[in-house]
Amino acid sequence: MTRAKLATTALLFAAMQPVAESAITSAQIIASAVSPSCISWRVSGICYWLFCTPWGCKVRTSVKVTHFIPEAVVSVYAQPGANPWKEMAFVSQTAGGLENGMYGVPAGGVNEELKAQGKRKTNLHFKYADAIGHPATSLIGGSISGYSCESAATPLNPYFLSTLDTLAWRSGTPESLYPEALVPGMREIGSQSTANMWSNVYPRSGFVTQTDDDKAAAVVAQRVADIITRTGQPHVYQTLKGNPSPGYWPPGPVEENTGLKNHKWQRLSPQLSESCAVFPDGNFTPAVDGNEAFALWQPYSCCQRRGQTFLYSTDFGGES
């Protein structure tokens, strides 16, 4: 099935579904992508091409542009099938079911049930998570030839479903034995020195130790993005990664604490934000039902082909 047919089928299905007041719909997600703050389009340099004809060769130039593209919607939720992206809730609900009863933990997560019953306060959260191609990724990416870059993401494509990654998502193996998980200060969102350390990235599982449920959800979203933008990870997923080519520079893997150079997050649910930021990004009110959604944006650079051979590029800032 082509991208267009897949997107059309999913959106037609979406139109027939009832919309919960606390959920976010595909139409809202698409509309939210029209955000100058998140896109951050700019002319970033000049590309040089060698153009040859039977009468000789000459160097041509084209403008190099850089901008962010929404690549995936990462949903983080407390119960199976509770994806706040209304039209995509059925995906995880029909794909899962493997975790029920495993490791002596019910599908909803022991910690969430105990909190709901008021038996005791716990800092341990368990979250399910999905990463699905952003429905507007092809609308923002490649929309204007020569002045916007193609996205590596496929709209509505499931890149990660935690219900299919049960073993690693529930147990944290083998990543709980990695140096990143054992050495303090490695792969942490925020830092202890600035008193804004939210949690560790490793092990990349659904369990997070955090007093704030919103921050726990953000940490899980960061872990999912960390997985899907890399190859060869010990998880069940599809890689979301572009291949560099002459005049086309896709983003590298998501890395925490890199400022706005590597990626951005746009909060979609429970509150829809018109701007993007990186974690840690302040204090937000957690969702009442523990379900949140974030849009992952990453930067692309490209320039229009104006010759047979790409020579080099210069960036406005000294890099090439």
Side-chain angles (χ1 to χ4, degrees):
M1 184 178 289
T2 64
R3 288 188 180 188
K5 288 182 178 178
L6 179 63
T8 301
T9 301
L11 292 177
L12 285 175
F13 180 87
M16 298 184 293
Q17 303 303 304
V19 178
E21 190 173 329
S22 60
I24 188 167
T25 66
S26 297
Q28 291 174 307
I29 293 174
I30 292 172
S32 72
V34 187
S35 167
S37 169
C38 293
I39 297 173
S40 300
W41 186 93
R42 64 186 177 90
V43 175
S44 57
I46 300 174
C47 293
Y48 299 85
W49 304 85
L50 183 64
F51 177 75
C52 294
T53 68
W55 298 274
C57 297
K58 63 180 179 180
V59 175
R60 285 182 167 182
T61 61
S62 60
V63 173
K64 181 178 182 180
V65 299
T66 298
H67 64 91
F68 282 74
I69 298 176
E71 295 197 293
V73 175
V74 181
S75 303
V76 181
Y77 48 98
Q79 300 293 332
N83 187 330
W85 183 357
K86 181 63 179 180
E87 297 86 356
M88 292 295 110
F90 77 97
V91 175
S92 57
Q93 191 169 22
T94 56
L98 298 177
E99 65 278 284
N100 289 341
M102 293 187 71
Y103 313 108
V105 180
V110 170
N111 64 299
E112 297 293 346
E113 292 182 355
L114 289 174
K115 287 175 66 179
Q117 295 169 10
K119 293 182 178 179
R120 65 182 176 90
K121 181 183 173 82
T122 176
N123 295 335
L124 182 64
H125 301 256
F126 176 78
K127 299 287 186 179
Y128 294 89
D130 299 336
I132 298 174
H134 198 290
T137 188
S138 297
L139 300 178
I140 304 300
S143 56
I144 305 176
S145 179
Y147 293 94
S148 65
C149 309
E150 294 287 341
S151 172
T154 301
L156 309 181
N157 183 67
Y159 288 97
F160 181 85
L161 302 175
S162 63
T163 50
L164 297 181
D165 188 43
T166 302
L167 179 60
W169 198 248
R170 279 284 187 183
S171 67
T173 58
E175 294 179 351
S176 57
L177 302 177
Y178 286 12
E180 294 92 334
L182 299 174
V183 179
M186 290 186 66
R187 302 305 310 274
E188 294 177 345
I189 301 173
S191 66
Q192 295 281 9
S193 60
T194 55
N196 68 343
M197 204 280 278
W198 282 13
S199 190
N200 53 300
V201 175
Y202 277 74
R204 294 171 299 182
S205 73
F207 287 98
V208 182
T209 300
Q210 171 59 250
T211 57
D212 186 282
D213 193 63
D214 172 75
K215 295 177 181 179
V219 168
V220 170
Q222 187 79 33
R223 290 176 177 176
V224 171
D226 197 88
I227 293 170
I228 65 174
T229 55
R230 290 170 168 80
T231 58
Q233 304 302 296
H235 291 267
V236 179
Y237 72 105
Q238 292 188 55
T239 303
L240 173 50
K241 183 179 181 181
N243 297 315
S245 61
Y248 177 72
W249 297 269
V254 164
E255 296 181 17
E256 70 282 358
N257 303 331
T258 56
L260 299 175
K261 297 179 181 179
N262 177 263
H263 70 284
K264 297 178 181 178
W265 290 104
Q266 181 183 20
R267 290 174 176 270
L268 301 176
S269 175
Q271 297 91 25
L272 180 60
S273 174
E274 296 182 356
S275 60
C276 290
V278 293
F279 303 140
D281 61 341
N283 295 313
F284 291 85
T285 302
V288 175
D289 55 6
N291 307 328
E292 303 193 23
F294 310 84
L296 171 66
W297 294 68
Q298 282 200 279
Y300 287 75
S301 295
C302 61
C303 52
Q304 186 176 24
R305 177 179 286 274
R306 297 207 62 210
Q308 296 90 348
T309 304
F310 175 77
L311 299 175
Y312 63 96
S313 71
T314 57
D315 288 353
F316 299 146
E319 299 179 0
S320 62

